[in-house]
Amino acid sequence: MTTTIDPPERRETAADKLRQGRHAISERWHHAPRWVRWVLLVAVIAFFYALPNKEFYQYLGPIPTPGANFTQVMFTVSIYVLLAVGLNIVVGFAGLLDLGYFGFFAVGAYTVAVLTSPSSDLKTLWPWLAVVAIAIGLTMVSGVMLGTPTLRLRGDYLALVTLGFAEMIRIAAVSSEFLKGQRGFNQIPHPPGQYADGRPWFGVLDARPYYWLVLTLIILVVIGVRNLTHSRVGRAWISIREDEDAAQLMGVPTFKFKLWAFASGAAIAGLAGALFAGKQNFVNSQNFELLNSIIILAAVIFGGSGNIVGAIVGGGLVAYMIERFRGIELFGIELYEYRFLFFGLVLVVMMIFRPQGLIPNRRRAAEFKDRRKEVIVGE
Amino acid sequence: MSDTEQTPAVPAQAAAPAVETVDKREPLLEVDHVTLRFGGVVALNDVDFTLYKGEILGLIGPNGAGKTTCFNAMTGIYQPTEGQIRFLGQKISGKKRHQITRMGMARTFQNIRLFPEMTALENVQVGADAHHKTSVIAALLRLPRHWKEEREGREKAERLLEFVGISNRMHEFARNLSYGEQRRLEIARALATDPKLLCLDEPAAGFNPAEKEELLQLIRQIRDQGVTVLLIEHDMRLVMGVTDRIVVLEFGKKIAEGLPAEVRDNPKVVAAYLGVPDDAA
Ligand SMILES: Nc1ncnc2c1ncn2[C@@H]1O[C@H](COP(=O)(O)OP(=O)(O)O)[C@@H](O)[C@H]1O
Ligand SMILES: [Mg+2]
């Protein structure tokens, strides 16, 4: 007998039930009339545009963060959502384990810093808007440079190399004279635009305009990513995730599409980095701890990978929860200090109840069996 | 061999199309003295045969004879240690796997390898995409080419699912299909790449006789549409019923080649299969 896959009489696991639950929701959504979907979508978007206004969020009970300016928190959350959407392309769709995604965010932020800040050795002092495109371009290039040698290989190489990449960027940021280490870059210009009375749209005190800008860009990016995933490109990505050998043998140029997944993911991180730099006004080496890469990856796992809505929810919830802990004391313990412990716990629980998590376990299996698969003949 | 009394009409039937294809003798695939070693194991030993356009060639042999390895060498998974493989007169070695597919060679797998978390339709669409040219930019901006190819691919996929008889399962995830449906889906996916040569690796493994008969019917239809078929099969009877010619491998060596009736009566083949019942896949 040849080995067969998934015997149909398999026992139902909790993971299956969860999957079915998710399936039921998406079924409902897909069977709802078009206008219902649009109304819901518009309502959700309107809600998030309204969210950072005090007049609105004061009625939302426990949602606003007690320990931090809620509008600032919402900006951070929106950046994480953007990053999760980008990483989801790489990990969720193409199934490439990228452990150093935050490195691309750093490349984007530092590109803006170096080209716009008066503290920079270059002294170019270019405006923010002009540099955004350069930042995105450079992160894409760094993604391609990193991907070209590594994406040809299978297995865990990519995870290691990306991890190394993020760490390299961080160390460069800490120790290179050019990148200014702890001192960092200040007076990074804000995005352009001003009101009739001369006040800028994007000031220092009010984080709302930045949040709205990021929210708008998230919507555009999601439309773009959706277009890709609902096309030949997305099918190629998923087929690579599901079975890379079979994909190649069905005519998918897998290396090319993996590189595209990597480059698109990097571009989105670059955009996020540029937005972050434009808002913060200040960039230094402390902004780019390795932990951030892990948080985003965890967010994608948490939300359900390979699903754009999942990534948005995951990125948003994870970033929000971390901030939500600020200023909460329990038995004299400041919960914020233990945020990652809690976070790890949540992930462990997730892994127990949804072990196939973000990288479908089939891929895992494929890595071990890989080519030998063809030879395996039972009995 | 214990099956000589079965299906007496088959050899005559199979011989008829062979004569007409043999007349044309236009080579499609040439396996030219191929040797393939895995360390000490010689999986293929100086294997040499030619596949002609329009025929159904059976590749048979006991377990571990090197049949699947032969497919893997043809489709670019392994490089032959010695010898070469030519498809449409062009050398296969050095070509990327997806290029070989685009040249017109498609295959199925002995151990089903679908994309489990994609629907049946999407699985076939991936095959159809083999000849699509929509770029990432065109997909991102939804340029006309995207819409055109998307529509084409979808129609083709629907047609092929209809053809293999599982169009009612179109929107089901591949992992949820029954075993037989998965086998059929693999064939549809391979056909979507517009192959000139379709290689089927034990497509009837695990099938009951009725299902096998349906599959034979399907293979004949595929051939009638102008696709050449290379069929790996364990079940001698199945091979006899559908193939024009047969190549027999044993321990990586070709031990016989010829019309089904000739091969069946070949003492070497009988010896190779001795004690191995037909359906012990
Ligand atoms: N990747 C590999 N590494 C080592 N040995 C292999 C590999 N692939 C096939 N073989 C060996 O080659 C021989 C032929 O195998 P295979 O082509 O799968 O046989 P068949 O398909 O005819 O049953 C077997 O002895 C098998 O163990
Ligand atoms: Mg085999």
Side-chain angles (χ1 to χ4, degrees):
Chain A
M1 266 304 288
T2 53
T3 50
T4 56
I5 59 169
D6 274 356
E9 66 279 357
R10 205 180 77 206
R11 220 160 32 85
E12 253 197 18
T13 61
D16 286 340
K17 282 198 197 113
L18 239 157
R19 208 203 296 244
Q20 277 158 13
R22 222 174 46 176
H23 197 235
I25 293 174
S26 81
E27 279 288 282
R28 260 215 173 141
W29 170 257
H30 286 292
H31 286 137
R34 219 185 160 79
W35 69 267
V36 172
R37 285 192 270 168
W38 276 109
V39 167
L40 274 173
L41 196 64
V42 169
V44 168
I45 291 173
F47 173 84
F48 280 102
Y49 271 104
L51 197 52
N53 293 307
K54 187 143 205 303
E55 301 76 34
F56 182 63
Y57 71 70
Q58 62 183 337
Y59 298 111
L60 293 179
I63 288 180
T65 45
N69 176 330
F70 186 57
T71 311
Q72 295 286 352
V73 169
M74 284 316 293
F75 172 76
T76 310
V77 168
S78 67
I79 289 284
Y80 271 86
V81 167
L82 193 54
L83 287 168
V85 169
L87 183 60
N88 186 40
I89 296 178
V90 183
V91 181
F93 284 106
L96 304 165
L97 188 52
D98 183 347
L99 293 182
Y101 188 65
F102 213 68
F104 295 117
F105 177 81
V107 171
Y110 269 108
T111 306
V112 170
V114 166
L115 291 174
T116 62
S117 163
S119 348
S120 159
D121 296 343
L122 292 185
K123 300 276 180 268
T124 40
L125 299 178
W126 288 344
W128 181 84
L129 196 60
V131 175
V132 173
I134 301 176
I136 295 174
L138 259 180
T139 39
M140 270 184 103
V141 168
S142 61
V144 169
M145 271 167 43
L146 194 62
T148 304
T150 42
L151 291 174
R152 291 180 199 279
L153 306 169
R154 301 280 180 93
D156 302 328
Y157 294 102
L158 187 70
L160 290 176
V161 171
T162 49
L163 195 63
F165 164 75
E167 200 49 13
M168 239 172 61
I169 300 276
R170 190 188 67 82
I171 290 169
V174 169
S175 56
S176 126
E177 196 39 46
F178 185 68
L179 293 179
K180 305 284 173 221
Q182 283 260 12
R183 272 182 299 128
F185 297 85
N186 49 33
Q187 295 180 53
I188 295 169
H190 295 295
Q194 54 186 354
Y195 295 104
D197 61 6
R199 276 183 309 122
W201 288 346
F202 297 93
V204 189
L205 294 176
D206 189 0
R208 281 178 308 171
Y210 298 97
Y211 167 79
W212 286 324
L213 176 64
V214 180
L215 189 58
T216 310
L217 286 168
I218 289 173
I219 293 170
L220 291 177
V221 166
V222 165
I223 291 172
V225 173
R226 222 190 92 90
N227 282 356
L228 287 180
T229 55
H230 284 63
S231 78
R232 168 186 189 222
V233 180
R235 277 195 298 274
W237 285 339
I238 299 173
S239 71
I240 292 167
R241 178 190 78 195
E242 295 287 292
D243 189 333
E244 190 166 347
D245 286 313
Q248 283 178 335
L249 290 166
M250 291 305 130
V252 178
T254 50
F255 175 66
K256 178 178 134 185
F257 279 111
K258 284 199 283 184
L259 208 53
W260 268 113
F262 221 58
S264 333
I268 293 171
L271 171 66
L275 288 164
F276 175 80
K279 150 83 169 51
Q280 283 323 77
N281 200 249
F282 174 72
V283 166
N284 80 353
S285 59
Q286 284 182 325
N287 296 323
F288 308 104
E289 293 302 327
L290 184 65
L291 197 54
N292 294 312
S293 290
I294 308 301
I295 292 176
I296 300 163
L297 186 61
V300 176
I301 298 173
F302 186 73
S305 69
N307 180 324
I308 301 174
V309 178
I312 294 172
V313 171
L317 273 184
V318 164
Y320 170 75
M321 277 179 347
I322 289 173
E323 292 299 326
R324 187 66 184 71
F325 281 140
R326 233 188 259 273
I328 300 182
E329 269 192 32
L330 209 63
F331 311 121
I333 300 168
E334 164 86 50
L335 273 190
Y336 187 70
E337 297 294 321
Y338 291 87
R339 60 196 187 277
F340 293 117
L341 183 73
F342 173 80
F343 193 50
L345 219 68
V346 171
L347 278 181
V348 169
V349 171
M350 282 285 299
M351 281 296 135
I352 291 169
F353 289 106
R354 204 186 146 207
Q356 83 275 26
L358 99 128
I359 303 156
N361 50 12
R362 262 179 219 85
R363 187 181 147 67
R364 267 284 123 104
E367 272 168 16
F368 291 119
K369 288 183 199 154
D370 199 14
R371 298 177 179 187
R372 221 156 305 159
K373 230 181 193 174
E374 283 291 281
V375 195
I376 297 170
V377 180
E379 257 117 311
Chain B
M1 234 166 67
S2 61
D3 67 332
T4 31
E5 79 287 355
Q6 294 158 347
T7 57
V10 162
Q13 227 177 43
V19 172
E20 87 193 26
T21 48
V22 164
D23 282 344
K24 290 180 202 151
R25 288 261 148 180
E26 222 186 307
L28 182 64
L29 177 86
E30 296 154 89
V31 176
D32 186 358
H33 296 281
V34 167
T35 297
L36 206 151
R37 290 193 196 91
F38 296 109
V41 182
V42 185
L44 295 175
N45 189 350
D46 200 31
V47 172
D48 186 73
F49 64 89
T50 303
L51 185 63
Y52 298 98
K53 267 183 198 158
E55 71 177 341
I56 301 179
L57 182 76
L59 185 60
I60 67 171
N63 238 328
K67 306 179 297 292
T68 299
T69 306
C70 189
F71 266 27
N72 286 343
M74 285 161 45
T75 48
I77 294 179
Y78 301 139
Q79 297 296 326
T81 320
E82 282 161 42
Q84 57 169 244
I85 297 172
R86 285 182 301 273
F87 184 64
L88 292 164
Q90 287 186 51
K91 263 207 322 212
I92 287 295
S93 65
K95 291 224 160 52
K96 301 241 168 59
R97 297 176 191 180
H98 65 90
Q99 289 171 328
I100 297 172
T101 306
R102 285 180 194 177
M103 282 169 71
M105 201 185 322
R107 66 173 286 178
T108 64
F109 300 86
Q110 182 172 349
N111 303 307
I112 299 173
R113 294 182 74 167
L114 289 163
F115 308 122
E117 299 278 327
M118 297 175 95
T119 65
L121 186 73
E122 286 166 343
N123 266 274
V124 185
Q125 279 178 292
V126 170
D129 285 334
H131 295 287
H132 286 170
K133 299 201 166 52
T134 301
S135 64
V136 173
I137 304 299
L140 181 68
L141 303 176
R142 307 243 133 157
L143 300 183
R145 171 175 254 163
H146 161 82
W147 292 114
K148 182 170 156 283
E149 291 189 341
E150 202 67 7
R151 184 162 17 83
E152 270 174 17
R154 201 189 153 100
E155 281 166 9
K156 185 187 203 175
E158 288 173 354
R159 212 171 341 105
L160 284 167
L161 287 173
E162 180 84 53
F163 175 66
V164 301
I166 53 170
S167 58
N168 56 327
R169 308 284 275 158
M170 193 170 347
H171 298 295
E172 197 61 65
F173 280 124
R175 70 176 148 81
N176 293 339
L177 299 186
S178 73
Y179 177 73
E181 288 167 339
Q182 292 192 359
R183 285 250 174 244
R184 286 162 180 276
L185 179 55
E186 266 210 326
I187 295 177
R189 184 180 66 172
L191 284 174
T193 65
D194 289 335
K196 296 187 177 68
L197 170 60
L198 178 66
C199 308
L200 302 171
D201 196 345
E202 304 205 16
F207 276 15
N208 64 34
E211 288 171 326
K212 281 184 181 173
E213 188 45 50
E214 280 178 61
L215 184 77
L216 286 190
Q217 221 42 55
L218 191 68
I219 293 174
R220 287 200 195 94
Q221 282 175 29
I222 291 168
R223 194 265 310 270
D224 292 345
Q225 292 177 6
V227 179
T228 309
V229 177
L230 179 55
L231 174 67
I232 290 186
E233 191 43 65
H234 249 96
D235 185 340
M236 283 281 262
R237 191 155 35 129
L238 188 89
V239 183
M240 295 295 153
V242 73
T243 50
D244 300 315
R245 280 191 315 129
I246 290 178
V247 170
V248 188
L249 292 182
E250 189 192 16
F251 298 123
K253 271 192 127 118
K254 185 176 88 175
I255 56 166
E257 176 174 1
L259 300 178
E262 295 168 7
V263 165
R264 191 177 55 182
D265 298 334
N266 185 319
K268 278 189 188 166
V269 179
V270 175
Y273 268 86
L274 209 62
V276 184
D278 302 342
D279 44 358

